[in-house]
């Protein structure tokens, strides 16, 4: 309803993106896809629930091919490489990025993940898979999109950031009630966070905005001068 309202009331076109993990592993994935196709989502990143998604008894790549064939929107990832097979994500319909035009504005959308993706699924292993350097993958995709005429570049990353827990504990209030200075990141979990590390390595203006997911924490901060946005999930 919120997305429908935005589309009806905004003078400019609305771009709908998902940073990843849009499949609900507890339910029939086809219901998730039906909703996303109905909502006319413009792009979604490959998150942990999509990456470990298994269709019937298919292997990983066959399952992803089934998923992308049913989705009416591009599913993105630019840094997962299979080492033990000739088949790669691009061969099963997963794209490194998408270039779209809205109201005359060319928008590049990049999807990436961090090397600790396997840790999000206890007991899961991904044999023969190499996850390329996050910063390098973002720079490569962003440069390609700029050469293609992209005027705005959006990064979708299925690696969350926590910017509320520490402040919530310090103030002894619910994290839902935490308000923070968007230019202050000292309360964010920057220590050993792979996304923070990647942002520090990006040249200025590589990307224009980043949407992240994977942690139940609201984020609306400028990190390394990049606006980073994240909701708490569950439609909040």
């Amino acid at each position: 309803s919120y997305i429908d309202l935005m589309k009806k009331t905004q003078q400019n076109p609305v771009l709908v993106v998902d940073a990843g993990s849009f499949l609900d592993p507890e339910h029939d994935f086809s219901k998730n896809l039906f909703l996303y196709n109905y909502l006319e989502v413009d792009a979604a990143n490959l998150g942990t629930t999509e990456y470990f998604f298994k269709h019937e008894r298919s292997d990983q790549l066959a399952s992803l091919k089934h998923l992308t064939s049913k989705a009416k929107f591009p599913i993105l990832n630019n840094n997962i490489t299979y080492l033990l097979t000739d088949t790669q994500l691009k061969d099963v319909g997963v794209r490194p990025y998408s270039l779209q035009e809205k109201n005359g504005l060319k928008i590049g959308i990049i999807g990436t993940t961090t090397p600790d993706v396997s840790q999000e699924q206890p007991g899961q292993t991904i044999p023969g898979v190499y996850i390329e350097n996050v910063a390098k993958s973002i720079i490569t995709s962003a440069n390609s999109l700029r050469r293609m005429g992209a005027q705005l570049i959006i990064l979708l990353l299925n690696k969350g950031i926590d910017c509320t827990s520490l402040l919530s504990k310090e103030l002894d209030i619910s994290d839902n009630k935490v308000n923070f200075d968007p230019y202050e990141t000292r309360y964010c979990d920057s220590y050993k966070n792979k996304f923070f590390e990647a942002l520090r390595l990006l040249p200025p203006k590589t990307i224009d905005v980043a949407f992240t997911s994977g942690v139940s924490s609201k984020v609306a901060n400028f990190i390394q001068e990049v606006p980073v946005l994240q909701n708490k999930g569950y439609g909040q």
Side-chain angles (χ1 to χ4, degrees):
S1 298
Y2 184 73
I3 291 174
D4 284 342
L5 182 64
M6 288 287 290
K7 289 182 175 180
K8 290 175 182 176
T9 58
Q10 295 298 309
Q11 293 182 347
N12 294 315
V14 174
L15 188 76
V16 182
V17 296
D18 193 301
S21 293
F22 60 88
L23 290 185
D24 185 343
E26 303 297 326
H27 296 88
D28 183 354
F29 84 96
S30 62
K31 295 179 180 179
N32 296 129
L33 277 182
F34 175 84
L35 176 62
Y36 269 47
N37 287 336
Y38 168 77
L39 293 174
E40 298 180 336
V41 170
D42 292 285
N45 189 33
L46 187 67
T48 52
T49 58
E50 293 81 53
Y51 190 73
F52 290 104
F53 157 71
K54 282 293 197 319
H55 173 61
E56 296 175 350
R57 295 186 179 181
S58 301
D59 62 26
Q60 191 68 59
L61 287 166
S63 296
L64 287 173
K65 185 174 182 179
H66 183 82
L67 179 63
T68 58
S69 69
K70 299 296 182 182
K72 295 180 180 179
F73 52 92
I75 296 176
L76 310 176
N77 176 269
N78 70 350
N79 69 333
I80 295 177
T81 301
Y82 282 78
L83 302 177
L84 304 180
T85 174
D86 291 334
T87 305
Q88 301 299 324
L89 288 185
K90 61 182 177 59
D91 299 320
V92 297
V94 178
R95 310 180 198 175
Y97 48 74
S98 175
L99 182 64
Q100 304 185 21
E101 188 167 328
K102 295 280 186 179
N103 205 25
L105 181 69
K106 289 187 176 181
I107 303 169
I109 308 170
I110 301 170
T112 194
T113 191
T114 56
D116 46 6
V117 60
S118 59
Q119 298 172 12
E120 306 294 330
Q121 295 282 333
Q124 295 276 12
T125 58
I126 341 177
V129 166
Y130 175 66
I131 300 179
E132 298 174 11
N133 179 276
V134 179
K136 179 181 177 181
S137 301
I138 294 171
I139 293 169
T140 300
S141 293
N143 288 342
S144 296
L145 285 165
R146 296 290 187 193
R147 287 195 294 268
M148 294 165 65
Q151 299 159 278
L152 176 73
I153 293 185
I154 297 170
L155 173 68
L156 304 180
L157 183 87
N158 187 230
K159 172 61 182 178
I161 298 174
D162 185 349
C163 289
T164 55
S165 293
L166 186 60
L167 188 56
S168 169
K169 185 176 181 180
E170 183 177 292
L171 299 176
D172 193 25
I173 60 175
S174 165
D175 61 353
N176 288 318
K177 297 182 179 180
V178 167
N179 291 313
F180 45 78
D181 181 350
Y183 291 94
E184 177 58 75
T185 59
R186 62 193 174 98
Y187 289 105
C188 299
D189 64 334
S190 57
Y191 181 65
K192 289 187 177 180
N193 186 297
K194 299 297 184 183
F195 180 47
F196 265 81
E197 291 178 12
L199 285 177
R200 292 189 186 104
L201 295 173
L202 294 182
K205 307 298 182 182
T206 300
I207 58 175
D208 297 292
V209 62
F211 294 95
T212 59
S213 67
V215 173
S216 181
S217 173
K218 63 180 180 181
V219 178
N221 291 75
F222 286 86
I223 302 174
Q224 300 297 118
E225 299 185 357
V226 175
V228 179
L229 302 172
Q230 173 184 286
N231 69 7
K232 286 176 62 66
Y234 301 103
Q236 298 182 44

